[in-house]
Every structure is written in C-alpha cells, then in structure tokens.
Amino acid sequence: MVTPSTLLWSMFILLAVGADAAFVIVVRSKLATNPSALLLSMFLLVAAQTVLVFLGVVLSTRFPTEDQTGIHRHGYAARSAWFIFVALFMLAAFVTTIPFFPYLSNVAAAQGPALRVPVIAQQFTFLMPSHFPLEQRIIFEVTSRDVNHNFGIYNSKGELIAQTQAMPNYVNDLEVTFQQPGRYTVQCLEYCGIGHARMEKEFTVGGN
Amino acid sequence: MKAGDSITRMASVGMGVVGTVIMVGGIAATLHPLGMASIPVHHLLHAGMTLGAGMLAIALAAKLPSQRSERSVWVIPAILAPILGLFLMWPSEYAYLMEHHGLHMLDHVGIIAFSWLAVFAAQAYVRGLGWPMLVLMVSMNAAAAGGFGVAPGPSALLSLPLSTVTAEGPAPSLHVLGKRVAQNMGCGACHRVDGTRSIGPTWRNLAGYPQKLSDGTTVVANYQFLRDAILHPELLQLEGFPHGEMPATYGAMLSGPAHSDERELNAIIWYINSLSDRSTPASQPPVPDELGK
Amino acid sequence: MAISTNDSTGRSVMKLYLTSGLVLSALMMLVGLTMRMAQAQWISIQPTMFYELLTLHGAGMIIALVVCAMGGLWFLMRRRISLSAPLAVASWILIMLGVAGVVISVVFGHYAGLYTFLYPLPFIGSWPSWATGVFLIGMMLINMGWMIWCFQILGAVLRAYGSLRGALGWDFVWHPKAFAAAGREPPPPEAFPALVAGLDGLVTGMGAMLLGVALLVRWIDPRVLIDPLWAKNLTYFYMHALANLIIYMLAAFIYVGLSYATKREYHTSRVFVIAWWSSLVFILTNYFHHLYMDASAQPRILQYVGELSSYLTAVPVTAVTVFGALMLVWRSRTRWTLGAVFLYSGLIGWVVGGIGAEIDASVPFNLHLHNTLWVPAHFHTYLLGGCLLFVLGWVFLLLESRSEHSTSKLMCWLIFTLSFGGMVAFLLGFYFGGASGVPRRYATQPLPGPLIAQFATIGAIIMLLGFTLAFFEGLRLRSAFSADRMLWPEDLKVDASLPEDLKVNIS
C-alpha cells in the first residue's frame, strides 16, 4: 500500500541516491588531481541531508499519533529499503575504490620503468634529492632513521597530492608521476617530536 | 542426562591430562640441549605452554560450585597474572639466562603458573570466562612473537652516503658544502640564520661568542664547543633552552668509523663560522675552507 | 509488578563515574581551547607546551568519555543482575591513578609523546626518561581498570543470560519459534552494548597489556628490540577499539533514555541482534584503516579488509540503532526537554561523524586526508557531537525526572543554539582545514594562515558558553530535587529466587 510516508521516504532515497551517484561519477573523473573541494562538498551535502532528515523527524512530533502498528509497518519497510541501499552503496563504493588503491603496481608497470629514489626521514628533515624529472614514474622508497614520520608531498598550490608513512626499520614505497613542473614541498604528517611542524623539504620538478 | 554428565567429566579430565602433559613438556624442554630457538619461536612455545596450563585450569575450575553471583576477589589475579606472565617473557631476550638450565626452567614454571592462575581466576570469577581468557592468553603469547624482542634491522638505505641520497654534485668550498649539508639535514628547522631565536639558538654570530650555560657559567663557542654541541647535544645545557630537544642522531651521521674524515662536520662548522663576525682560528675547523679535488 | 526500590549504591557508583568523567571533560575542553587559540595566533605558547597540552587533551578526553560510558552502562546492567560495587570502585580508582600518572608525566616531566605513544617516539623525545616510564605505567593502570570493568560487564551478561550463547541471543535469532515456545526472552537492548564492550574491550585490552609490558621492558632495558610495525598494530588495535567503543556503549543511553523521553518502548528484535553481532566484529577489524600507508610492509589484504570493514560499519549503526531511534521519535509525544534534545542531537553527531569517517576510510581519499585536520574533524564530531551530547542528555534526563523545576523554552533554545551552533563552527574549522590539506598536530599553522583556526576558536568559545549555561541549568534542576517523584531509570522487579545477598536494598 502506497502511503504518503512511504512515498516521501522513496522520493528522499531516490534523491539521495541520485545526488550521491552524481558525485561518485564526478569524483572518479577528477581523482587524478586533488579532490579536496569535491570531498568537502560531498561531505557537506550528505551532512546537510542528514540534518534535514533529523529535523523532519523532530517536526513530526508536532503531529503525534498513538498508532504504533502503522508506524512499525511503514518504519520497518523503510528500514529494509534503507538497509539494502546503504549495504549496496557501501559495497559499490568499495568496488569503485579498488582500482584507485595506490598498490596496483602491476598496472602501473605498463607505464614504463620507474626511477627508485630513497628518502630518509629523520628528526627533523627529509634526506632526498632536490630535483626530479617531469612525467617520469618515480617510486619513493621511504624509511626513517629514528621515529615514525610521514612523507607528504604538497604542490605549489598547497594541495596534498600524495603521502606515505616513514617507519624505522621498514621501507614504504610511494609511486608518483609528476605531471606539473614547479616547486613542491614535503611536510611531515606524523607527529615526531618538537620539530614536527617545521619538518619540511622543498624540491623542484622539470624545467631547468 | 547421565551420559552427558560423564562425557563432560571425561572431557574435563582429558583436558586436564593433555594440559598437564603439555606443561611438563614445556618445562622439560629447558633441560634438553636443543639449543636456543629464535625469539619468535620461543614466544610461540610459551603460547603452547599457556594452552596446556589453561586447559588444566579450566578442568580444575570445573570443580567449583556454580553460582550466579560473582566471586569478585578473583578478578584481581585474573588481571595481574597475565601482566606478570608477560614480564616473565623478558628473560628470553638474554641468552646467558636461557643457557642456565635452572633459571630457564624457573622462568617456564613461572609462565605456566601465571597462565594457569589467569585462566583459573577468570573461570572462578564467573563461569564461562575461562575459555575466552584461555584464548586471549594464548593469542597474546603468540602475538608477542611478532615483535617483542625481535625487529628487522635498519634499512640498508640508511648507510648510503649523504651525497648519494641528496644526489648533489661537488661543492666549491667547505663552507658552501656546509650550508648545503645543514639545509639537507634540516638544521634550519630549529636554528635560524637571521639572528632570531627559534627552538634552538640562532647560528648568526654564534661562533666565537660566549654562550651561557644553565649552571650559570659562560663558555666561548670555539671549535670544540661547536663539535660537541652537534655530536653530543645531550651533554649540553644552554640557559633558556630546554634540555634534550636537539636530536642525538647527528653524532652517528657526521662522525664515527663511516665518517673518519669528518668532512661534513667540518663543513657545517665552517658554515657556522661564515655567519659570525667573531670567527677566529679557535672557532674554525683545523681543515682549510677550500675543497681540494 | 515493579517493586519501587532504591538502589542507592548503584546510583552512587554511576554518579562517581559520571561526575569525574564530566569534570575531566570540562578541564580537557579548556586545554583544547588553549591549543586552538594558539593556532589562531591569539596567544603564543612554545611548541613543547603545545605538544604537552595535546598529549594531555587526547588522553584525558578519551578517558573522560570512556569513564562516563562505563558508569552509565554499569548502572544499566546492575538493574538486571547483581554487580559488585566495590569492584566498580576499584576499577575507577585504578583509572584515576593512571590519569594522575599521565598528568604527572606531562606537567612535571614534560612528556609530549601524545596519547598514541607510537614506538619509538616515547623513547626518542626531548623529555627525561622517568616521564616516559610514569606515562607508560599510568597507561597500564588505566588499562587494568578498564579490563576489570570489562570482566565485570562481560561476566554480568554471561550470568544474566546463561552463557555466551544466551548473551549473544543465538537461539533467539536462529530458532525463534522454539525460543518463544519455551517462554524465553531475549536480552534487553542495553545488554548488547554491554556484551560488545565487555568482549571487545577485553580482547583489545589484552593487546594493550602485551604492548604495555613490552614498552615497559624496553624502558627498563633499551637493548630489548621492539618491532615498530608490530607496536603500531597493537597501539591502533587497542586505541581504535577503545575510542570506537565509547559511542557503542553510549547507545545504551539511547535505548533506555530515548524510550523514556518518547514514552515508547525499544525492543530487542532479530535484526537488532544481528546488527550488534556485526558491530562486535567490525570494531575489531576496522583498525586496519590506520595502516593504509603501510601496504609495503604488511600483507595488502589487510588494507582491503580495513576499508570494507570500515565501510560496512555504517550498516548496523544507521540501519538499526539510528533508524530505530528515529522510529521511536517519529510522531511521538516527546517532550523536548534539554535532556531529550541533547540525546537526540547526539545521533546527528554520530551519523555526520560517520560520513567524515567513511570518506577518510576510502583509500584513494585517504591519500589526501590522512593525518590532516580531517582526522580530528571526524573524531571530534563523534566525541563532541555524539558521545558528549549522549552523556549530557542522559544526565539531564536523570535531573529532569526528579526535579520540580523544568527548563524554560527560552533557556532550552539558548543552550541548544549556543552549544550546537558553536560546535558546528568549531568542527567546520577542522573539516575545511583537513580538506585543504592542513596537517594535524602542528603547533603552528603557517598555511593557510590562522583564519580557519580563529573561526574555529570563536565557535569553541560559543559552544563552551552554551555548555556553561547548561551546567548552571543543571544545578538549578538539581536544587529542586524531589524525592517524591518517580524514580527513573526505575529499578526493576527484584528476582525472588535470588539469595539475599544478591538483592538490592529495599527502602
């Protein structure tokens, strides 16, 4: 039986699915560059939807009813719809993100040989070269001399484009291909002591 | 009902017997001249002993009358026994202790006793907590094999020379090399060159100037002072600067067997001197500033 | 038929936990404000001081909220089965001793290794060695107190519902007809947070025990090797579970508190039970999302497990607990008192925090968000906008139930607007910062400038103003306490079959 509340719930769910699907599509196309603005808008959109739902439920208490069975029937139906939606959405999101995991080196290997660059993080600096070629697949081999650090690469616009942990006794690989020439900054993104906020290194790409 | 009861009782007894056998095996292993197993294997063997001890504990705890209320007091050994048992894994790190059969056996007896106590106490506290405690104790002992007392060595990358890692060409003079090395090693994160104080004192007008120590005395920043400040910062306490903030890693990076000529150290000190108007031969390195071929 | 009894001991223990937790929270919020003001460049503090404050704030805030959750859940389970009050007090004392240890190591020893104490940082820092030892011992004491509580709560559900199988509601789910025919009833809703917290708390607490002993041994003898990756795994296994468990524990407040406020009942259903089973597992497997960057060093399958587990966590939370709460409220005769408002608003914090979390848990996005301000953004939303509001809601419902006074509409609106409005501004500062790539745990934030931090600081001050007003309103409600009014939460029917020493006092 199609009641007003079922209709309302279905409309809302369709709207939410539609908007979120649109975002997933847009995000996929923009993931090569920094998606920070998109991530923020995605978050704000869904957060706003949530607040609206909660507000709606609060406002419904202006029209109280004693009919529990009706509420339960429609409520459980809506819940089943929501459960299916959220479970499927999450599974779809999981599958969508897999190709973008930065671990699939066999796919990337097809792009040509990689330049292996050691990076040693230590209190409070990164030991690494200060210049890199453009459009060259680079694998940063990142380790640490003392405590945990994090090798975070920012472009000249201040966008964080890639990062990996720098652990003592271990080497983490980070694969990056610089598409834009210019100045880049590395900052430490894992608290490592008093100089943590000042631990940075600059390098340039291309040009010269 | 009777068949179920006797099966339970048989299972209980069986468990107790198996557990005892494992435990005795664990103690006997200390006498057999097997040679020292590696530390991770050693932890796993401890986990095995814990399994045996726990099984015996549950078998014995089955004798306790069941009641619906808590035996509160038993929580205390249930919490303390695992901790003490874990501490008893510590002697495994010392080969000389393990080679002494008597001490090794005592260690194993201790581990067994605490494991037994932990599981028994849990089961005594509330019936039904024994099995989870057993699983947790065994898992904890096994998990110790992953990193308690054993770690991979530092990466081979750390032994690369600095100039290889930074991929830089030769410098025209030592103080220019010093500036580069200082930049690469991040000295500027704490030492400014413009005269302002940061986390550490500024390098401008440092060399040759008197420095106030936290004990009230004053010492001039000559070559030896600068050397010691870089290589052994933990021994230096300047007034107004908290002790221990400078990393102690530079000592190994700039001197020692791999850096017997201390070229980079002297380069840095030349750079510091170049920033001071009171630089004298007393504050300068004994090596001249020009880099030979 | 419910006998009106007065379990004054149980209530006193709950009050001990809630009061100490809230006082600690208030102090920690002031510490947090100080840090944000420093980042806003409105005050100037040394980096060492900043990181000491951060260590204190992180550890203190988590412990404060854990303590509140422990106290409330303990009381709710005590209505169902006898629970030893001395044991609960012993647990509390151990935790407070541990807190004292942490405070001493930070204030007097200048320990600044943060509450994640990632090996080997506690040993390679600018603070004296004794401070590291005192900090570690403090953490061990806190863990011991936590584990005593876990033992007690897990023991309680085992005793009350027969066995682990009964506490899990196993037969209720798989053989519902036989279950009902035998006249059995499933455990009440609040027993499931208790089970999950007790069991998962015990499991991760054991991990923490192992790590704690290993680090203490290393502290005593620096020659002992510790694998940093192993230590990292154990640290996050424990810390993630502890922080995550807080909000699951507080779900019990929703089941009991929101039922009271909406005057409707919340039942255990099969869907409900299955949802809690999945949470039981997910809470343990989620922690891999802290190790996405270590794929070269660890088996890659763990990264996939971490993402999938983190994603699916949203299902039981939104589809059961939150949806169920919304169904309770939908067209109900709820009187929107301050308690009801806080409790309900906490649900928004839980969901919104979850959105931020799910975005961060996506590996490709994590590359841009890991260890930026996005991380504190999402967990402050959970802890401030979820957990703290749940605790405040519970406390106010308790006060309101027994008070002759009631909060005026104006006051209610004022407190709500200030608290919530300020909170949103404060949190947005973190989200904007995180999306811009601003790193977390930076004493100074040269980029993109102090503007975001200033906006956030103003938000925090407004929020604290709202909380202060709420505090005085709470005092006012308390001052008009009337013993004649119905006790809530009501004590339940005394089980006549229990021996005397298990019955609560009848007054």
Side-chain angles (χ1 to χ4, degrees):
Chain A
M1 243 261 289
V2 179
T3 66
S5 61
T6 322
L7 208 61
L8 216 65
W9 279 116
S10 318
M11 269 175 54
F12 166 72
I13 288 178
L14 271 161
L15 214 79
V17 173
D20 297 328
F23 260 96
V24 170
I25 294 169
V26 173
V27 160
R28 270 191 68 124
S29 67
K30 294 263 183 155
L31 255 171
T33 58
N34 185 24
S36 67
L38 289 159
L39 290 177
L40 194 60
S41 342
M42 194 157 65
F43 166 75
L44 289 173
L45 180 79
V46 183
Q49 288 169 5
T50 306
V51 173
L52 283 173
V53 168
F54 275 83
L55 255 166
V57 174
V58 168
L59 288 171
S60 78
T61 59
R62 283 177 190 257
F63 312 105
T65 173
E66 298 299 336
D67 172 28
Q68 289 283 282
T69 33
I71 291 180
H72 281 177
R73 199 173 57 236
H74 295 134
Y76 289 143
R79 182 176 73 180
S80 304
W82 171 255
F83 167 80
I84 292 170
F85 163 66
V86 95
L88 285 180
F89 181 77
M90 285 307 175
L91 287 169
F94 175 67
V95 171
T96 310
T97 55
I98 287 179
F100 294 92
F101 275 37
Y103 315 139
L104 296 177
S105 52
N106 46 324
V107 169
Q111 294 170 15
L115 182 65
R116 295 195 151 258
V117 177
V119 173
I120 301 172
Q122 62 183 65
Q123 286 173 334
F124 295 104
T125 186
F126 294 95
L127 298 181
M128 56 183 290
S130 47
H131 184 81
F132 295 98
L134 196 58
E135 278 162 29
Q136 159 73 49
R137 214 172 115 236
I138 300 172
I139 297 181
F140 291 102
E141 300 174 330
V142 185
T143 186
S144 164
R145 192 181 298 273
D146 38 40
V147 300
N148 284 287
H149 298 274
N150 180 306
F151 176 71
I153 305 177
Y154 287 78
N155 62 18
S156 49
K157 287 185 269 183
E159 298 167 333
L160 176 61
I161 60 172
Q163 57 169 305
T164 192
Q165 291 284 95
M167 288 199 68
N169 304 6
Y170 286 91
V171 178
N172 279 323
D173 290 344
L174 177 65
E175 188 171 316
V176 181
T177 307
F178 294 107
Q179 308 285 1
Q180 301 283 335
R183 289 175 92 190
Y184 290 76
T185 313
V186 177
Q187 291 201 295
C188 178
L189 287 170
E190 183 69 61
Y191 177 66
C192 53
I194 187 174
H196 170 59
R198 299 158 173 278
M199 184 166 155
E200 58 182 43
K201 197 37 93 72
E202 275 189 14
F203 64 84
T204 52
V205 169
N208 101 320
Chain B
M1 209 51 195
K2 264 201 206 142
D5 265 348
S6 57
I7 289 179
T8 315
R9 217 168 333 129
M10 279 196 326
S12 214
V13 168
M15 203 163 55
V17 167
V18 171
T20 314
V21 166
I22 296 176
M23 277 163 48
V24 169
I27 296 174
T30 65
L31 299 170
H32 197 284
L34 265 175
M36 264 296 280
S38 70
I39 289 180
V41 171
H42 210 149
H43 282 304
L44 291 174
L45 291 174
H46 288 171
M49 292 194 312
T50 303
L51 178 63
M55 287 167 74
L56 181 64
I58 291 184
L60 290 177
K63 301 235 191 311
L64 289 170
S66 73
Q67 60 180 61
R68 235 178 133 207
S69 63
E70 319 154 76
R71 295 190 182 87
S72 311
V73 167
W74 282 101
V75 164
I76 300 173
I79 293 288
L80 289 177
I83 297 177
L84 295 169
L86 279 171
F87 269 109
L88 280 180
M89 296 208 276
W90 181 13
S92 315
E93 320 298 331
Y94 308 109
Y96 65 86
L97 279 177
M98 293 299 100
E99 274 150 24
H100 188 291
H101 291 310
L103 285 176
H104 197 169
M105 187 160 71
L106 206 61
D107 186 45
H108 278 204
V109 169
I111 291 176
I112 286 170
F114 284 125
S115 305
W116 182 91
L117 184 59
V119 177
F120 185 87
Q123 184 76 344
Y125 168 63
V126 168
R127 177 180 287 269
L129 282 179
W131 279 111
M133 188 57 153
L134 174 66
V135 171
L136 287 176
M137 289 291 292
V138 172
S139 311
M140 203 167 63
N141 275 274
F148 186 3
V150 57
S155 161
L157 299 177
L158 291 183
S159 44
L160 291 172
L162 181 62
S163 50
T164 309
V165 179
T166 55
E168 278 176 340
S173 64
L174 262 187
H175 80 263
V176 172
L177 175 67
K179 182 176 180 183
R180 276 195 209 163
V181 172
Q183 270 167 356
N184 277 318
M185 294 177 98
C187 308
C190 302
H191 297 283
R192 297 227 180 95
V193 297
D194 59 3
T196 56
R197 173 216 156 110
S198 175
I199 296 174
T202 179
W203 277 1
R204 195 167 130 66
N205 287 343
L206 168 67
Y209 275 79
Q211 307 298 316
K212 254 188 133 175
L213 301 181
S214 61
D215 58 7
T217 58
T218 307
V219 70
V220 173
N222 57 12
Y223 173 69
Q224 190 60 41
F225 174 88
L226 292 171
R227 239 186 89 90
D228 289 339
I230 296 172
L231 299 180
H232 306 288
E234 66 278 4
L235 300 175
L236 180 64
Q237 212 156 350
L238 286 177
E239 184 185 300
F241 291 96
H243 181 63
E245 283 181 3
M246 176 155 155
T249 31
Y250 301 115
M253 289 185 71
L254 295 169
S255 77
H259 309 272
S260 47
D261 62 357
E262 292 187 350
R263 199 170 109 234
E264 277 135 357
L265 175 65
N266 288 324
I268 294 175
I269 298 178
W270 265 116
Y271 174 55
I272 295 175
N273 270 275
S274 72
L275 297 169
S276 170
D277 55 17
R278 273 200 207 172
S279 164
T280 64
S283 63
Q284 291 160 8
V287 183
D289 191 5
E290 300 314 311
L291 261 185
K293 227 344 205 115
Chain C
M1 185 193 78
I3 304 170
S4 175
T5 62
N6 188 359
D7 177 19
S8 53
T9 314
R11 279 169 196 277
S12 304
V13 170
M14 175 174 66
K15 279 181 208 160
L16 177 68
Y17 274 81
L18 284 175
T19 316
S20 55
L22 284 172
V23 166
L24 196 55
S25 300
L27 289 170
M28 290 303 109
M29 283 196 277
L30 291 174
V31 169
L33 178 66
T34 311
M35 291 192 298
R36 210 64 173 118
M37 279 172 73
Q39 288 176 336
Q41 291 171 21
W42 282 338
I43 62 172
S44 168
I45 56 180
Q46 291 293 317
T48 24
M49 171 74 90
F50 182 87
Y51 291 119
E52 289 167 30
L53 289 178
L54 187 53
T55 305
L56 210 55
H57 175 77
M61 209 63 206
I62 295 271
I63 299 303
L65 290 169
V66 166
V67 164
C68 291
M70 285 163 80
L73 198 47
W74 186 88
F75 174 75
L76 286 175
M77 282 315 296
R78 188 165 148 114
R79 295 162 81 218
R80 306 283 172 181
I81 186 92
S82 69
L83 279 177
S84 155
L87 214 51
V89 173
S91 166
W92 181 87
I93 290 175
L94 280 171
I95 293 179
M96 290 301 136
L97 280 175
V99 169
V102 169
V103 170
I104 290 171
S105 74
V106 171
V107 172
F108 298 106
H110 303 290
Y111 175 80
L114 297 195
Y115 63 97
T116 39
F117 54 93
L118 269 184
Y119 178 81
L121 185 60
F123 306 102
I124 309 182
S126 52
W127 46 86
S129 171
W130 73 260
T132 304
V134 171
F135 181 84
L136 289 174
I137 292 171
M139 283 302 200
M140 282 289 276
L141 288 170
I142 290 171
N143 189 38
M144 282 163 67
W146 165 247
M147 286 185 71
I148 290 180
W149 182 91
C150 290
F151 261 113
Q152 201 178 28
I153 286 285
L154 186 58
V157 295
L158 289 182
R159 285 182 292 127
Y161 308 113
S163 61
L164 191 60
R165 187 178 164 135
L168 279 169
W170 190 261
D171 296 319
F172 172 63
V173 168
W174 298 121
H175 311 112
K177 294 206 179 71
F179 191 85
R184 295 170 66 185
E185 284 205 7
E190 64 266 25
F192 287 89
L195 169 69
V196 168
L199 192 52
D200 283 353
L202 209 61
V203 170
T204 54
M206 279 293 197
M209 225 179 231
L210 172 60
L211 180 66
V213 170
L215 291 178
L216 274 171
V217 166
R218 164 64 177 79
W219 176 65
I220 297 171
D221 183 0
R223 293 170 300 169
V224 172
L225 295 173
I226 307 275
D227 185 327
L229 186 60
W230 173 83
K232 193 150 112 167
N233 269 279
L234 281 177
T235 307
Y236 283 118
F237 182 56
Y238 176 61
M239 280 301 178
H240 170 86
L242 190 67
N244 203 188
L245 276 173
I246 303 176
I247 205 155
Y248 285 93
M249 288 157 77
L250 291 171
F253 283 179
I254 293 293
Y255 301 144
V256 178
L258 214 53
S259 298
Y260 170 68
T262 56
K263 306 181 188 40
R264 286 181 179 168
E265 292 215 15
Y266 199 106
H267 297 288
T268 306
S269 63
R270 292 167 68 205
V271 171
F272 178 84
V273 174
I274 295 175
W276 277 99
W277 289 355
S278 57
S279 294
L280 182 71
V281 172
F282 291 147
I283 290 172
L284 296 176
T285 50
N286 279 353
Y287 93 94
F288 291 116
H289 65 222
H290 292 274
L291 287 128
Y292 282 157
M293 303 270 159
D294 295 294
S296 317
Q298 308 212 122
R300 286 203 185 139
I301 187 77
L302 296 177
Q303 267 68 5
Y304 295 95
V305 167
E307 194 190 78
L308 187 61
S309 166
S310 305
Y311 272 176
L312 291 179
T313 300
V315 179
V317 170
T318 54
V320 176
T321 297
V322 173
F323 206 98
L326 289 178
M327 274 175 62
L328 271 186
V329 175
W330 179 259
R331 300 188 69 188
S332 62
R333 293 188 177 288
T334 311
R335 236 181 85 237
W336 289 106
T337 63
L338 207 53
V341 167
F342 274 142
L343 211 56
Y344 184 75
S345 311
L347 289 166
I348 303 179
W350 194 349
V351 178
V352 172
I355 300 166
E358 297 290 39
I359 292 176
D360 195 13
S362 312
V363 174
F365 298 155
N366 187 260
L367 205 59
H368 303 275
L369 296 174
H370 176 67
N371 274 355
T372 62
L373 286 180
W374 191 273
V375 179
H378 100 267
F379 70 65
H380 276 89
T381 314
Y382 272 145
L383 291 173
L384 200 52
C387 299
L388 185 65
L389 291 187
F390 285 160
V391 175
L392 288 177
W394 180 256
V395 168
F396 271 94
L397 284 179
L398 286 172
L399 290 170
E400 286 154 8
S401 70
R402 278 320 219 17
S403 182
E404 303 264 323
H405 288 162
S406 61
T407 316
S408 69
K409 267 276 178 251
L410 173 67
M411 191 50 133
C412 214
W413 271 108
L414 196 60
I415 292 176
F416 175 72
T417 316
L418 290 174
S419 311
F420 218 67
M423 190 188 299
V424 169
F426 169 65
L427 293 173
L428 280 178
F430 280 138
Y431 282 108
F432 273 92
S436 315
V438 178
R440 67 185 291 208
R441 296 169 169 169
Y442 266 32
T444 49
Q445 293 180 339
L447 288 167
L451 200 64
I452 297 180
Q454 288 170 347
F455 179 70
T457 307
I458 294 175
I461 293 174
I462 294 174
M463 176 186 75
L464 288 176
L465 217 71
F467 285 156
T468 312
L469 278 178
F471 171 68
F472 285 114
E473 180 59 23
L475 286 180
R476 197 183 77 97
L477 290 172
R478 185 73 182 84
S479 67
F481 173 78
S482 161
D484 293 331
R485 295 181 61 132
M486 257 297 277
L487 187 69
W488 181 81
E490 60 284 358
D491 290 330
L492 299 174
K493 186 178 115 181
V494 170
D495 186 342
S497 66
L498 289 176
E500 276 309 310
D501 57 345
L502 291 184
K503 291 185 190 167
V504 293
N505 292 334
I506 298 183
S507 61

